[in-house]
Amino acid sequence: MKYLNLFTLLLVSIAVKAESVQMAETMRSEGKIYVVIAVLAIILLGLIVYLITIDKKLGKLEKEINN
Amino acid sequence: MRHWWKALAIILLLYTLIAGLLIPVPKQVILYESIRNLYFHVPMWFTMIFLFFMSVINSVKNLSSNNLTHDTKAKELVNAGIVFGVLGIITGSIWAKYTWGAWWVNDVKLNGSAITMLIYLAYVVLRGSLEDEQKRARISAVYNIFAFVLLLVFIGILPRVTDSLHPGNGGNPGFNNYDLDDNMKLVFYPAVLGWILLGWWIASIRIRISNLSQKLEA
């Protein structure tokens, strides 16, 4: 029973903490916006690398067919 | 270094992404941080219009020279442009949901851009229905000119003469009046150039593939 009370108290304190979080501010002050930037940058770079390989493959094919 | 513009596209897009999320933006009610969508949603349309414009130039060239390479370019530029138009509509719809309150509102610019997309889809259908190469090139070139004029009317003119929720249209002041401050211009203009270059890159790959397959068929 004692432990249950303690556990409830813990849950409540977490919930209270969560409510007081200011999204955009926190993302900056805790630097988490950089996580989003990292994810987006990797997706963008991945797609660009993919585009470059397609471009190169096509270049090879053009050389083969045109000769 | 004939690929310099591709490198420029990559640098500009990376810059857009990083600076677009980090550089401070004007504090606006309703918009809040979503104002940053300006760097991503709007360039989709600029890129689409650029690709369609290059396409119509090639259509005119085709009509005056009867050279089928212009026809191939016109076709693939439209194909790539449609992709950016679809991305523009989807991103706009998400933005509209969280600022105007609905996925789709009866705004002249929204309906105009939807009609424009249908007009260009009809271009693709029209091409598919014509067998003869020369005939297809000429008819679709004439249609393409007609389509671009309608694009200018639906996206460029009508939203400006009637009321629109979009900034810069109807009685609505443009971003460049007071919202688009110097910080935002610092990201927005490079963003537009970066996305246009990416669109041009994708279109050029499509053109080269199309040229190759024509060569193999011949």
Side-chain angles (χ1 to χ4, degrees):
Chain A
M1 204 56 206
K2 204 173 161 193
Y3 287 109
L4 193 68
N5 278 340
L6 213 67
F7 184 65
T8 326
L9 197 71
L10 191 74
L11 277 185
V12 168
S13 68
I14 288 171
V16 167
K17 219 176 181 181
E19 267 171 20
S20 65
V21 168
Q22 296 264 318
M23 264 308 278
E25 302 293 327
T26 312
M27 267 163 92
R28 278 209 183 59
S29 63
E30 301 202 336
K32 284 187 186 161
I33 187 71
Y34 295 103
V35 179
V36 182
I37 290 175
V39 168
L40 289 181
I42 282 171
I43 290 175
L44 181 69
L45 278 177
L47 287 176
I48 283 171
V49 167
Y50 186 45
L51 195 59
I52 291 171
T53 48
I54 290 172
D55 200 330
K56 275 189 178 162
K57 266 189 187 168
L58 188 58
K60 265 186 203 162
L61 212 59
E62 276 170 336
K63 253 186 200 164
E64 265 178 44
I65 289 173
N66 289 335
N67 288 333
Chain B
M1 268 309 278
R2 64 199 173 88
H3 294 299
W4 64 271
W5 58 277
K6 293 173 185 173
L8 182 65
I10 297 168
I11 292 165
L12 287 177
L13 288 178
L14 270 178
Y15 166 75
T16 302
L17 198 150
I18 296 166
L21 290 183
L22 284 185
I23 283 184
V25 289
K27 290 196 165 115
Q28 302 266 348
V29 283
I30 300 173
L31 275 175
Y32 302 112
E33 298 280 0
S34 86
I35 198 170
R36 295 179 195 278
N37 274 349
L38 183 83
Y39 310 136
F40 304 97
H41 164 71
V42 183
M44 294 299 115
W45 295 109
F46 279 41
T47 307
M48 182 198 81
I49 293 168
F50 173 79
L51 294 175
F52 285 171
F53 177 66
M54 295 312 285
S55 172
V56 85
I57 286 178
N58 277 290
S59 284
V60 172
K61 276 188 188 167
N62 172 258
L63 284 176
S64 64
S65 68
N66 257 341
N67 188 341
L68 282 177
T69 56
H70 297 309
D71 182 56
T72 307
K73 282 182 186 169
K75 173 187 75 178
E76 296 301 351
L77 282 161
V78 164
N79 279 334
I82 287 173
V83 173
F84 283 90
V86 169
L87 288 175
I89 283 198
I90 295 170
T91 52
S93 184
I94 295 170
W95 201 2
K97 172 68 183 165
Y98 296 101
T99 48
W100 298 337
W103 297 106
W104 195 269
V105 290
N106 248 335
D107 182 76
V108 261
K109 209 165 199 177
L110 270 74
N111 291 332
S113 55
I115 294 167
T116 305
M117 293 316 296
L118 292 177
I119 289 168
Y120 276 93
L121 285 176
Y123 172 83
V124 178
V125 173
L126 176 72
R127 292 192 66 95
S129 66
L130 293 167
E131 285 286 326
D132 184 69
E133 269 185 351
Q134 292 288 341
K135 206 188 241 175
R136 179 174 59 206
R138 257 172 293 137
I139 292 175
S140 59
V142 172
Y143 180 86
N144 198 12
I145 296 169
F146 163 78
F148 194 74
V149 172
L150 285 185
L151 176 145
L152 291 180
V153 171
F154 280 118
I155 295 182
I157 301 169
L158 280 183
R160 282 182 173 74
V161 294
T162 46
D163 277 338
S164 171
L165 287 165
H166 274 89
N169 297 146
N172 223 335
F175 269 113
N176 45 359
N177 278 7
Y178 54 84
D179 297 338
L180 190 62
D181 68 348
D182 289 340
N183 264 347
M184 290 198 79
K185 282 178 191 160
L186 219 59
V187 183
F188 180 64
Y189 295 138
V192 168
L193 185 61
W195 289 110
I196 283 179
L197 287 174
L198 185 78
W200 181 251
W201 188 356
I202 293 170
S204 76
I205 284 178
R206 290 201 62 122
I207 291 166
R208 284 161 62 197
I209 290 175
S210 200
N211 282 334
L212 272 192
S213 61
Q214 277 169 26
K215 209 164 214 174
L216 287 174
E217 274 170 25

